[in-house]
Amino acid sequence: MTDPQAPSPGDVAQASRLRERLEQYAHEYYVLDAPTVPDAEYDRLFGELQALEARFPALLSPSSPTQRVGGAPAQGFGEIRHSVPMLSLNNAFDEADVLGFDRRVREALGDAISAGEPVEYSAELKYDGLAISLRYENGRLVLGATRGDGSIGENVTANIRTVRAIPLRLRAPATVPQVLEVRGEVLMFKADFDRMNRQQREAGEREFVNPRNAAAGALRQLDPAATARRPLRFFAYGIGELAGAGMPPTQSALLQWLRELGLPVGAELECLRGPQGLIDYYGRMMARRADLPYEIDGVVYKVNRRDWHERIGHVARAPRFAVAHKFPAQEAITELLDIEIQVGRTGSLTPVARLKPVFVGGTTVSNATLHNEDEIRRKDLLIGDLVVVRRAGDVIPEVVRALSERRLPADDPAFAGRYRRFSMPTACPVCGSAVVREAGESAWRCGAGLFCSAQRKQALLHFAQRRAMDIEGLGDKLVEQLVDAGRVLSPADLYRLAPDTLAGLERMGEKSAANLLAAIDRSRSRPLARFLFGLGIRHVGEEVARQLAADYGDLEALMAEDWPAVQQRKADIQKENTRRRPRGEPLLPVPLEGIGPEIIDSVQRFFAEPHNRQVIAELLAAGVAPVGSPPAAMAAGAPVVAPLAGRSFVITGTLPSLSRDDAAARIRAAGGSVAGSVSRRTDFVVAGEAAGSKLQKAAELGITVIDEAGLLSLIEAAQPSGAPGPGEAS
């Protein structure tokens, strides 16, 4: 008997034709910006396909255009680790910065480019939206993730699938890659934003502040159907992981290839030569900024030849081969009502302007940074002045200058009642302790340390944050209660909290208390790098903390270090390497490479402070045991030549006994470096179980592949004579 719900061959063919036509019309609309049919015709065909799929559920496909309306609401967003980090860009704000960028590129290229020959750049717009990564496998969209911190983002796949500008299937000009990670920006066009706000007003609903916030908020809706109702767009500007296809030779060719695959790519792209070409492009785009259909906050320059990208390299989390040239921030005029003092985590006293609320840069601003006392004097600010406010970098509001020409004359009787000059307090406004200004510094500081409740609260929040000790549930309100009640005076007190200690605190029930105590207990064995970052050592961010942990391996070695001797040893090795480099001789590993004297001095002062050593001792006594790395040879006495110095490794797959972080730490400790992607400059690929496309790339490039045992053998060979191996007692 024939199933009445089974579609006929004609129904199957009709559904296929409808999908193809809808995909083509969407491609013409979003990618080519050249629609060939009215919206009403698209809607008619869409409705016809919906009806056909409703009548015959067997015709439903995850890649059908009708499935972009949203699925079941999510319970929350999971984390996704990017296979290739999503790097941020360094900024340029004026022509001098652009000239400096071009000079650094040329210096990095060295003899790869002839003297006087201009570097070719790809120039693109810097869209004001939300950066995302799209993962396609065999041409089908399988994953969408936000940038997050660059290494880990949020899984927003269900919401990404509702964005009509993003193809669910790639078009195939030749062959579709096995894996393609597309990097780009989700944004909202100005006209769509205005139309959406008009609908909000008519419905009596809250209006959105600006297109960027509306787009970012749309992707973080737990209900994909809510995302589907937002008119989101997308522009691709780069890639992450690529397998099963050759890499285009230039950035401009890459963008053309992405466009051929069916991905939207911005039209305002140009290939330019030399810094003057970049500056001219910037001027043209700034002049057109108001007329563009979307918001931009600058332009981006990238060295066009992709094979030069690795030669030029990276610094911290930003590439050296690209820079974002930001537009001047938007400005507004308002009244300076008062200047108050904010005490920061390190005790610095920062003046904060209290402003008459003003709408600038897409948001209402009532507070702005004044940086320090010197800035207030330099700008000749008086409380009561009319001032120019801007959102520096389109993010942090700041007072640019006073409109002194609009003040009352000094001899006006109303002058004294209208204006007053600010002076820094002589005592901390929070704890009353004396404040000091160290020689060579612009900031005044409260020297009370954890005695000052303002510093104590900020220090605890920093210590507990996700990128440090990751104590989930320890937020602002709870820290404020614990400090104000005198129950937590230092980070070590967190590990002595008991259920009855938490009882009675606001919003702290029995289950919440148990969850918090469990999170505190889990944090006892965080990696050493995160522990060091959590201590809040001045100038020590995540990257510096990671390098300290990798170079020294354990906390005891760090605390016992002779830091002046390190600085001298570093200078001696750098001088020796300067002699070796022209002769092509092996270079000596440099202690704390990339960490300058200011940071080393800060670390020295921190560990020399008895109070800080006491806090660390209390943490260790409370059961906190930071997980370290094998110490680097360079941290243990006289410099030696490490066999892994100058060698680059890539880790892929699951290793039998080491996590990827552990393996990377051991490689760095032996003098090697770890990269996220395979290239011709890779020396070894360390492969474990379920190794993916990186293993295939290694085979294509003829790069040596080793397993965990091979890696450990190399590391053992890297140990200096008589030094303990990984895991041995020293």
Side-chain angles (χ1 to χ4, degrees):
M1 187 178 212
T2 303
D3 182 359
Q5 294 301 310
S8 68
D11 294 323
V12 173
Q14 175 64 0
S16 178
R17 283 193 296 270
L18 287 169
R19 290 194 193 104
E20 288 177 3
R21 290 174 68 184
L22 289 169
E23 287 174 356
Q24 178 61 31
Y25 294 153
H27 178 72
E28 292 168 349
Y29 187 92
Y30 292 108
V31 179
L32 304 181
D33 196 23
T36 58
V37 296
D39 290 350
E41 175 63 10
Y42 182 95
D43 294 340
R44 185 187 69 78
L45 296 174
F46 189 92
E48 186 176 339
L49 178 59
Q50 267 187 321
L52 195 59
E53 291 175 341
R55 183 181 175 192
F56 302 110
L59 291 176
L60 275 173
S61 165
S63 61
S64 173
T66 63
Q67 300 307 294
R68 293 183 180 273
V69 295
Q75 298 302 310
F77 299 112
E79 290 187 340
I80 295 294
R81 179 172 290 277
H82 301 301
S83 60
V84 176
M86 295 183 70
L87 302 175
S88 55
L89 294 176
N90 287 325
N91 292 327
F93 295 99
D94 53 32
E95 292 188 10
D97 291 341
V98 176
L99 294 172
F101 163 66
D102 179 71
R103 184 186 66 253
R104 291 189 295 273
V105 166
R106 297 185 63 84
E107 290 172 353
L109 289 174
D111 58 7
I113 188 167
S114 303
E117 179 185 357
V119 177
E120 184 178 72
Y121 296 95
S122 169
E124 310 159 22
L125 300 182
K126 187 176 184 299
Y127 306 106
D128 196 11
L130 182 71
I132 61 164
S133 178
L134 308 174
R135 184 178 179 88
Y136 289 88
E137 293 181 358
N138 297 316
R140 293 186 178 274
L141 178 65
V142 298
L143 185 68
T146 62
R147 193 182 83 88
D149 64 5
S151 297
I152 298 175
E154 291 178 308
N155 186 341
V156 291
T157 307
N159 291 347
I160 284 294
R161 293 180 65 86
T162 71
V163 181
R164 296 182 185 275
I166 296 175
L168 301 178
R169 295 185 303 173
L170 297 177
R171 302 163 73 88
T175 58
V176 170
Q178 295 170 3
V179 175
L180 174 63
E181 281 187 351
V182 179
R183 302 291 165 72
E185 200 94 355
V186 166
L187 66 160
M188 193 176 290
F189 280 28
K190 296 174 185 176
D192 294 333
F193 173 78
D194 292 339
R195 182 166 54 252
M196 184 178 66
N197 262 354
R198 186 166 61 251
Q199 293 169 350
Q200 292 289 105
R201 286 194 300 273
E202 291 171 356
E205 300 288 341
R206 179 181 62 86
E207 293 183 41
F208 298 94
V209 175
N210 56 47
R212 185 192 187 282
N213 288 355
L219 277 191
R220 301 203 74 258
Q221 296 289 318
L222 291 179
D223 184 358
T227 306
R229 290 191 290 271
R230 303 270 183 100
L232 299 178
R233 306 290 187 111
F234 172 75
F235 284 130
Y237 53 67
I239 65 172
E241 185 178 357
L242 174 64
M247 177 70 73
T250 63
Q251 173 68 10
S252 53
L254 170 67
L255 295 176
Q256 179 57 35
W257 180 54
L258 293 178
R259 185 182 282 117
E260 291 168 0
L261 289 174
L263 290 151
V265 174
E268 314 301 331
L269 307 171
E270 292 184 31
C271 285
L272 305 162
R273 295 173 67 81
Q276 190 57 50
L278 302 182
I279 293 168
D280 291 345
Y281 176 85
Y282 174 88
R284 291 195 300 274
M285 293 304 108
M286 188 161 63
R288 294 182 54 192
R289 182 183 187 184
D291 298 324
L292 291 171
Y294 36 74
E295 296 284 356
I296 60 173
D297 57 3
V299 296
V300 175
Y301 313 134
K302 300 175 185 175
V303 173
N304 201 28
R305 278 186 56 170
R306 294 188 62 87
D307 62 334
W308 281 354
H309 287 189
E310 286 200 19
R311 178 166 185 151
I312 298 169
H314 300 75
V315 53
R317 289 178 174 266
R320 293 179 185 271
F321 56 81
V323 71
H325 193 174
K326 303 294 287 291
F327 288 144
Q330 299 181 48
E331 299 181 343
I333 296 174
T334 189
E335 183 181 352
L336 176 59
L337 301 176
D338 202 355
I339 298 177
E340 299 176 359
I341 293 295
Q342 189 175 75
V343 182
R345 175 175 58 84
T346 62
S348 61
L349 273 59
T350 302
V352 176
R354 303 303 181 199
L355 305 167
K356 185 176 182 179
V358 61
F359 194 79
V360 56
T363 190
T364 299
V365 171
S366 56
N367 303 318
T369 180
L370 292 170
H371 301 293
N372 53 57
E373 182 183 27
D374 292 345
E375 278 290 285
I376 295 174
R377 290 177 178 171
R378 185 180 67 80
K379 294 174 179 176
D380 188 29
L381 297 177
L382 298 180
I383 296 169
D385 271 338
L386 289 177
V387 294
V388 175
V389 179
R390 74 176 171 202
R391 295 187 65 204
D394 290 340
V395 177
I396 304 170
E398 70 170 341
V399 174
V400 180
R401 62 187 179 92
L403 297 178
S404 55
E405 66 275 14
R406 295 174 63 173
R407 285 180 191 155
L408 295 174
D411 57 359
D412 190 308
F415 184 92
R418 171 69 187 273
Y419 307 104
R420 59 189 173 91
R421 194 167 293 280
F422 170 81
S423 60
M424 289 292 292
T426 57
C428 174
V430 175
C431 71
S433 299
V435 298
V436 296
R437 181 173 177 175
E438 296 181 9
E441 288 202 348
S442 59
W444 290 81
R445 295 184 185 279
C446 167
L450 290 176
F451 173 75
C452 176
S453 62
Q455 294 181 64
R456 193 179 305 147
K457 292 172 184 176
Q458 294 302 314
L460 288 168
L461 287 169
H462 178 80
F463 182 82
Q465 67 165 286
R466 182 174 66 84
R467 300 195 305 275
M469 300 302 277
D470 192 16
I471 303 178
E472 187 176 357
L474 191 66
D476 300 43
K477 299 292 186 185
L478 183 54
V479 165
E480 190 169 338
Q481 292 184 74
L482 290 169
V483 171
D484 290 346
R487 300 182 186 184
V488 173
L489 301 180
S490 83
D493 290 336
L494 295 171
Y495 297 92
R496 292 190 279 264
L497 288 173
D500 57 344
T501 309
L502 298 172
L505 295 179
E506 185 182 350
R507 298 180 180 177
M508 185 54 64
E510 184 177 334
K511 184 175 181 181
S512 297
N515 289 340
L516 175 60
L517 292 174
I520 292 172
D521 189 57
R522 287 194 300 271
S523 74
R524 294 178 195 270
S525 58
R526 297 297 184 213
L528 176 60
R530 291 171 66 174
F531 176 80
L532 292 174
F533 176 58
L535 288 177
I537 305 171
R538 195 167 177 224
H539 301 311
V540 175
E542 291 177 83
E543 184 62 24
V544 172
R546 185 205 63 74
Q547 188 166 347
L548 288 171
D551 283 3
Y552 284 85
D554 63 60
L555 186 60
E556 184 179 352
L558 265 170
M559 296 178 69
E561 180 61 278
D562 181 345
W563 296 103
V566 169
Q567 298 224 49
Q568 184 59 53
R569 190 162 71 246
K570 181 172 182 175
D572 291 343
I573 292 174
Q574 288 173 331
K575 188 179 297 183
E576 172 62 21
N577 283 344
T578 300
R579 289 194 292 265
R580 289 177 175 230
R581 189 173 286 108
R583 298 198 294 259
E585 296 176 359
L587 302 182
L588 299 175
V590 179
L592 302 179
E593 188 167 14
I595 297 180
E598 184 181 14
I599 298 176
I600 294 177
D601 288 344
S602 179
V603 173
Q604 178 184 1
R605 285 195 300 270
F606 181 88
F607 286 121
E609 170 59 49
H611 173 78
N612 293 332
R613 299 181 79 92
Q614 178 63 29
V615 169
I616 292 172
E618 291 178 4
L619 283 165
L620 299 179
V624 177
V627 179
S629 309
M634 68 182 69
V640 297
V641 179
L644 298 193
R647 300 291 187 91
S648 174
F649 292 75
V650 171
I651 305 169
T652 183
T654 303
L655 303 180
S657 61
L658 297 175
S659 70
R660 289 197 190 190
D661 288 343
D662 288 340
R666 294 191 179 210
I667 290 168
R668 293 187 183 105
S673 63
V674 180
S677 59
V678 179
S679 71
R680 297 188 183 279
R681 299 181 67 183
T682 304
D683 295 296
F684 296 96
V685 169
V686 183
E689 185 179 350
S693 57
K694 294 175 184 175
L695 189 59
Q696 178 184 342
K697 184 70 175 291
E700 293 173 358
L701 297 177
I703 293 167
T704 302
V705 177
I706 59 175
D707 57 11
E708 181 183 294
L711 172 63
L712 295 177
S713 295
L714 285 173
I715 291 173
E716 183 177 353
Q719 297 301 320
S721 178
E728 297 178 34
S730 56

